[in-house]
Short mmCIF file of all heavy atoms in Angstrom, two decimals:
data_model
loop_
_atom_site.label_atom_id
_atom_site.label_comp_id
_atom_site.label_asym_id
_atom_site.label_seq_id
_atom_site.Cartn_x
_atom_site.Cartn_y
_atom_site.Cartn_z
N PHE K 1 111.39 203.96 186.55
CA PHE K 1 110.09 204.52 186.83
C PHE K 1 109.94 205.01 188.31
O PHE K 1 109.51 206.10 188.56
CB PHE K 1 109.03 203.43 186.55
CG PHE K 1 107.64 203.81 187.07
CD1 PHE K 1 106.92 204.69 186.34
CD2 PHE K 1 107.19 203.32 188.29
CE1 PHE K 1 105.61 205.12 186.79
CE2 PHE K 1 105.92 203.69 188.77
CZ PHE K 1 105.22 204.66 187.98
N VAL K 2 110.37 204.16 189.25
CA VAL K 2 110.15 204.58 190.64
C VAL K 2 111.13 205.71 191.00
O VAL K 2 110.80 206.58 191.80
CB VAL K 2 110.39 203.43 191.65
CG1 VAL K 2 109.26 202.37 191.43
CG2 VAL K 2 111.73 202.74 191.50
N ALA K 3 112.25 205.80 190.30
CA ALA K 3 113.25 206.96 190.47
C ALA K 3 112.55 208.23 190.04
O ALA K 3 112.64 209.28 190.61
CB ALA K 3 114.53 206.70 189.78
N LYS K 4 111.81 208.07 188.90
CA LYS K 4 111.10 209.32 188.39
C LYS K 4 109.96 209.69 189.40
O LYS K 4 109.84 210.90 189.60
CB LYS K 4 110.40 208.97 187.03
CG LYS K 4 109.70 210.09 186.35
CD LYS K 4 110.61 211.18 186.08
CE LYS K 4 109.89 212.43 185.43
NZ LYS K 4 110.81 213.53 185.18
N CYS K 5 109.30 208.80 189.96
CA CYS K 5 108.38 209.13 190.98
C CYS K 5 108.97 209.85 192.21
O CYS K 5 108.47 210.86 192.64
CB CYS K 5 107.63 207.84 191.46
SG CYS K 5 106.55 206.99 190.25
N PHE K 6 110.17 209.31 192.59
CA PHE K 6 110.82 209.91 193.71
C PHE K 6 111.34 211.32 193.35
O PHE K 6 111.25 212.24 194.11
CB PHE K 6 112.09 209.08 194.01
CG PHE K 6 112.88 209.51 195.26
CD1 PHE K 6 112.47 209.00 196.43
CD2 PHE K 6 113.96 210.40 195.13
CE1 PHE K 6 113.15 209.43 197.61
CE2 PHE K 6 114.64 210.76 196.25
CZ PHE K 6 114.22 210.30 197.50
N SER K 7 111.80 211.56 192.07
CA SER K 7 112.19 212.92 191.68
C SER K 7 111.01 213.93 191.63
O SER K 7 111.23 215.09 191.99
CB SER K 7 112.94 212.85 190.32
OG SER K 7 111.95 212.60 189.30
N ILE K 8 109.87 213.46 191.19
CA ILE K 8 108.68 214.28 191.14
C ILE K 8 108.24 214.72 192.60
O ILE K 8 108.03 215.86 192.92
CB ILE K 8 107.49 213.58 190.45
CG1 ILE K 8 107.85 213.39 188.97
CG2 ILE K 8 106.26 214.49 190.51
CD1 ILE K 8 106.90 212.52 188.24
N LEU K 9 108.11 213.73 193.43
CA LEU K 9 107.61 213.97 194.83
C LEU K 9 108.63 214.70 195.66
O LEU K 9 108.14 215.45 196.59
CB LEU K 9 107.36 212.54 195.47
CG LEU K 9 106.13 211.80 194.81
CD1 LEU K 9 106.12 210.42 195.47
CD2 LEU K 9 104.87 212.55 195.07
N ASN K 10 109.93 214.57 195.35
CA ASN K 10 110.90 215.27 196.23
C ASN K 10 111.58 216.44 195.46
O ASN K 10 112.38 217.11 196.05
CB ASN K 10 112.02 214.27 196.60
CG ASN K 10 111.48 213.22 197.52
OD1 ASN K 10 111.37 213.43 198.76
ND2 ASN K 10 111.11 212.08 197.07
N LYS K 11 111.14 216.70 194.27
CA LYS K 11 111.55 217.83 193.53
C LYS K 11 113.12 217.82 193.37
O LYS K 11 113.82 218.86 193.75
CB LYS K 11 111.05 219.15 194.07
CG LYS K 11 109.49 219.23 193.97
CD LYS K 11 109.10 220.63 194.59
CE LYS K 11 107.63 220.87 194.37
NZ LYS K 11 106.73 219.85 194.96
N ILE K 12 113.69 216.79 192.95
CA ILE K 12 115.19 216.74 192.81
C ILE K 12 115.47 216.21 191.31
O ILE K 12 114.69 215.57 190.73
CB ILE K 12 115.84 215.77 193.78
CG1 ILE K 12 115.35 214.36 193.65
CG2 ILE K 12 115.66 216.19 195.19
CD1 ILE K 12 116.22 213.37 194.44
N ASP K 13 116.70 216.53 190.90
CA ASP K 13 117.15 216.14 189.58
C ASP K 13 117.77 214.84 189.66
O ASP K 13 118.65 214.57 190.52
CB ASP K 13 118.10 217.20 189.02
CG ASP K 13 118.64 216.76 187.70
OD1 ASP K 13 117.81 216.34 186.86
OD2 ASP K 13 119.84 216.94 187.48
N ILE K 14 117.44 213.92 188.80
CA ILE K 14 118.07 212.52 188.79
C ILE K 14 118.57 212.31 187.36
O ILE K 14 117.86 212.66 186.33
CB ILE K 14 116.94 211.46 189.15
CG1 ILE K 14 116.56 211.56 190.54
CG2 ILE K 14 117.59 210.05 188.96
CD1 ILE K 14 115.45 210.62 190.99
N LYS K 15 119.79 211.75 187.22
CA LYS K 15 120.39 211.45 185.94
C LYS K 15 120.03 209.99 185.62
O LYS K 15 120.01 209.10 186.48
CB LYS K 15 121.81 211.71 185.99
CG LYS K 15 122.27 213.07 186.31
CD LYS K 15 121.90 214.09 185.21
CE LYS K 15 122.35 215.40 185.46
NZ LYS K 15 121.91 216.47 184.43
N TYR K 16 119.88 209.66 184.36
CA TYR K 16 119.65 208.35 183.83
C TYR K 16 120.63 208.04 182.77
O TYR K 16 120.72 208.74 181.77
CB TYR K 16 118.25 208.25 183.24
CG TYR K 16 117.11 208.58 184.27
CD1 TYR K 16 116.75 209.93 184.45
CD2 TYR K 16 116.45 207.55 185.02
CE1 TYR K 16 115.75 210.22 185.37
CE2 TYR K 16 115.47 207.88 185.86
CZ TYR K 16 115.12 209.19 186.11
OH TYR K 16 114.11 209.56 186.98
N TYR K 17 121.39 206.93 182.93
CA TYR K 17 122.44 206.56 182.00
C TYR K 17 122.10 205.12 181.42
O TYR K 17 121.93 204.20 182.15
CB TYR K 17 123.72 206.51 182.70
CG TYR K 17 124.21 207.69 183.40
CD1 TYR K 17 124.86 207.68 184.66
CD2 TYR K 17 123.99 209.03 182.84
CE1 TYR K 17 125.27 208.78 185.25
CE2 TYR K 17 124.28 210.12 183.56
CZ TYR K 17 124.98 210.06 184.83
OH TYR K 17 125.34 211.21 185.44
N LEU K 18 122.10 205.14 180.09
CA LEU K 18 121.87 203.86 179.39
C LEU K 18 123.18 203.50 178.61
O LEU K 18 123.57 204.26 177.80
CB LEU K 18 120.67 204.04 178.45
CG LEU K 18 120.35 202.86 177.47
CD1 LEU K 18 120.06 201.59 178.31
CD2 LEU K 18 119.27 203.27 176.56
N VAL K 19 123.67 202.32 178.85
CA VAL K 19 124.87 201.85 178.22
C VAL K 19 124.58 201.07 176.96
O VAL K 19 123.82 200.12 176.98
CB VAL K 19 125.81 201.00 179.15
CG1 VAL K 19 126.96 200.44 178.38
CG2 VAL K 19 126.27 201.87 180.38
N ASP K 20 125.10 201.51 175.82
CA ASP K 20 125.09 200.74 174.55
C ASP K 20 126.41 200.00 174.39
O ASP K 20 127.41 200.67 174.01
CB ASP K 20 124.79 201.71 173.41
CG ASP K 20 124.78 200.95 172.03
OD1 ASP K 20 124.77 199.72 172.09
OD2 ASP K 20 124.74 201.69 171.05
N HIS K 21 126.43 198.75 174.74
CA HIS K 21 127.67 198.00 174.67
C HIS K 21 128.12 197.61 173.25
O HIS K 21 129.32 197.27 173.03
CB HIS K 21 127.48 196.72 175.47
CG HIS K 21 126.32 195.90 175.20
ND1 HIS K 21 126.20 195.26 174.04
CD2 HIS K 21 125.20 195.64 175.95
CE1 HIS K 21 124.99 194.61 173.95
NE2 HIS K 21 124.42 194.83 175.13
N LYS K 22 127.18 197.61 172.34
CA LYS K 22 127.48 197.31 170.93
C LYS K 22 128.09 195.92 170.75
O LYS K 22 128.86 195.57 169.86
CB LYS K 22 128.44 198.33 170.29
CG LYS K 22 127.78 199.65 169.98
CD LYS K 22 128.60 200.59 169.16
CE LYS K 22 127.89 201.78 168.83
NZ LYS K 22 126.86 201.59 167.86
N LEU K 23 127.78 194.99 171.67
CA LEU K 23 128.19 193.57 171.51
C LEU K 23 127.28 192.77 170.59
O LEU K 23 127.60 191.74 170.08
CB LEU K 23 128.18 192.82 172.93
CG LEU K 23 129.29 193.35 173.89
CD1 LEU K 23 129.05 192.80 175.28
CD2 LEU K 23 130.63 192.94 173.35
N ARG K 24 126.06 193.25 170.44
CA ARG K 24 125.16 192.77 169.49
C ARG K 24 124.67 193.84 168.38
O ARG K 24 124.67 195.05 168.84
CB ARG K 24 123.86 192.16 170.12
CG ARG K 24 124.14 191.00 171.00
CD ARG K 24 122.85 190.51 171.66
NE ARG K 24 122.36 191.43 172.70
CZ ARG K 24 121.30 192.17 172.63
NH1 ARG K 24 120.61 192.18 171.45
NH2 ARG K 24 120.89 192.94 173.62
N LYS K 25 124.43 193.51 167.22
CA LYS K 25 124.09 194.41 166.25
C LYS K 25 122.85 195.12 166.49
O LYS K 25 122.50 196.24 166.00
CB LYS K 25 124.00 193.78 164.79
CG LYS K 25 122.86 192.66 164.69
CD LYS K 25 122.94 192.05 163.27
CE LYS K 25 121.83 191.03 163.15
NZ LYS K 25 121.90 190.36 161.83
N GLU K 26 122.00 194.57 167.36
CA GLU K 26 120.69 195.20 167.74
C GLU K 26 120.80 196.18 168.86
O GLU K 26 119.88 196.90 169.23
CB GLU K 26 119.66 194.13 168.11
CG GLU K 26 119.39 193.03 167.10
CD GLU K 26 120.34 191.81 167.26
OE1 GLU K 26 121.22 191.91 168.17
OE2 GLU K 26 120.21 190.82 166.54
N SER K 27 121.99 196.24 169.49
CA SER K 27 122.04 196.98 170.79
C SER K 27 121.78 198.43 170.63
O SER K 27 121.08 199.04 171.48
CB SER K 27 123.41 196.76 171.40
OG SER K 27 124.45 197.34 170.67
N SER K 28 122.27 199.04 169.58
CA SER K 28 122.04 200.53 169.39
C SER K 28 120.55 200.84 169.09
O SER K 28 119.99 201.80 169.64
CB SER K 28 122.93 200.97 168.20
OG SER K 28 124.22 200.96 168.57
N GLN K 29 119.94 199.84 168.36
CA GLN K 29 118.48 200.08 168.06
C GLN K 29 117.67 199.93 169.36
O GLN K 29 116.72 200.67 169.59
CB GLN K 29 118.11 199.02 166.99
CG GLN K 29 116.66 199.24 166.50
CD GLN K 29 116.26 198.22 165.48
OE1 GLN K 29 117.09 197.45 165.09
NE2 GLN K 29 115.05 198.26 164.95
N GLU K 30 118.06 198.97 170.14
CA GLU K 30 117.34 198.73 171.46
C GLU K 30 117.55 199.90 172.34
O GLU K 30 116.63 200.30 173.02
CB GLU K 30 117.90 197.46 172.17
CG GLU K 30 117.49 196.19 171.47
CD GLU K 30 118.19 195.01 171.93
OE1 GLU K 30 119.02 195.13 172.86
OE2 GLU K 30 117.85 193.86 171.55
N ALA K 31 118.77 200.51 172.38
CA ALA K 31 119.05 201.67 173.23
C ALA K 31 118.28 202.82 172.77
O ALA K 31 117.61 203.59 173.62
CB ALA K 31 120.54 202.04 173.07
N LYS K 32 118.09 203.09 171.57
CA LYS K 32 117.27 204.10 170.99
C LYS K 32 115.75 203.92 171.35
O LYS K 32 115.08 204.94 171.68
CB LYS K 32 117.45 204.24 169.49
CG LYS K 32 116.74 205.51 168.84
CD LYS K 32 117.01 205.63 167.36
CE LYS K 32 116.35 206.93 166.80
NZ LYS K 32 116.64 207.03 165.36
N LYS K 33 115.33 202.72 171.24
CA LYS K 33 113.94 202.41 171.54
C LYS K 33 113.66 202.65 173.02
O LYS K 33 112.62 203.27 173.38
CB LYS K 33 113.65 200.97 171.25
CG LYS K 33 112.13 200.63 171.30
CD LYS K 33 111.97 199.13 170.79
CE LYS K 33 110.42 198.80 170.76
NZ LYS K 33 110.18 197.48 170.18
N VAL K 34 114.60 202.32 173.90
CA VAL K 34 114.36 202.63 175.36
C VAL K 34 114.45 204.08 175.61
O VAL K 34 113.60 204.62 176.40
CB VAL K 34 115.46 201.89 176.16
CG1 VAL K 34 115.46 202.31 177.59
CG2 VAL K 34 115.31 200.37 176.06
N PHE K 35 115.32 204.75 174.99
CA PHE K 35 115.51 206.25 175.06
C PHE K 35 114.16 206.93 174.73
O PHE K 35 113.64 207.79 175.41
CB PHE K 35 116.58 206.73 174.13
CG PHE K 35 116.69 208.23 174.05
CD1 PHE K 35 117.52 208.86 174.97
CD2 PHE K 35 116.01 208.94 173.00
CE1 PHE K 35 117.65 210.27 174.91
CE2 PHE K 35 116.07 210.33 172.99
CZ PHE K 35 116.91 211.00 173.93
N LEU K 36 113.49 206.56 173.57
CA LEU K 36 112.28 207.14 173.18
C LEU K 36 111.17 206.72 174.06
O LEU K 36 110.18 207.63 174.33
CB LEU K 36 111.98 206.72 171.68
CG LEU K 36 113.00 207.26 170.65
CD1 LEU K 36 112.65 206.68 169.28
CD2 LEU K 36 112.93 208.80 170.62
N LEU K 37 111.09 205.53 174.54
CA LEU K 37 110.04 205.12 175.44
C LEU K 37 110.10 205.87 176.70
O LEU K 37 109.08 206.38 177.21
CB LEU K 37 110.23 203.59 175.77
CG LEU K 37 109.29 203.00 176.81
CD1 LEU K 37 107.90 202.94 176.21
CD2 LEU K 37 109.73 201.67 177.29
N LEU K 38 111.26 206.05 177.31
CA LEU K 38 111.33 206.78 178.58
C LEU K 38 111.06 208.33 178.38
O LEU K 38 110.55 208.92 179.32
CB LEU K 38 112.77 206.61 179.13
CG LEU K 38 113.08 205.25 179.56
CD1 LEU K 38 114.51 205.14 180.07
CD2 LEU K 38 112.16 204.70 180.65
N LYS K 39 111.29 208.82 177.23
CA LYS K 39 111.00 210.19 176.89
C LYS K 39 109.59 210.51 177.09
O LYS K 39 109.12 211.65 177.45
CB LYS K 39 111.56 210.57 175.56
CG LYS K 39 111.61 212.04 175.29
CD LYS K 39 112.19 212.27 173.86
CE LYS K 39 112.23 213.83 173.53
NZ LYS K 39 112.84 214.04 172.20
#
């Protein structure tokens, strides 16, 4: 969130990386949920 604020105020591109470790069966579903929330 604060990185997004920084990118807006400073007009720069920021990359966001989310790791899906697949150590738990729920991990991919959680990753997708976070992806959609941030979108």
Side-chain angles (χ1 to χ4, degrees):
F1 172 77
V2 294
K4 182 62 181 179
C5 293
F6 187 87
S7 71
I8 296 170
L9 294 172
N10 294 276
K11 294 181 173 58
I12 64 169
D13 177 44
I14 295 174
K15 299 294 184 182
Y16 301 85
Y17 306 139
L18 173 62
V19 173
D20 176 9
H21 50 68
K22 287 189 176 292
L23 289 172
R24 293 181 289 106
K25 61 181 181 180
E26 305 90 356
S27 69
S28 295
Q29 186 177 359
E30 290 171 353
K32 186 175 181 180
K33 190 171 183 178
V34 172
F35 174 89
L36 294 174
L37 174 71
L38 294 177
K39 191 175 180 181

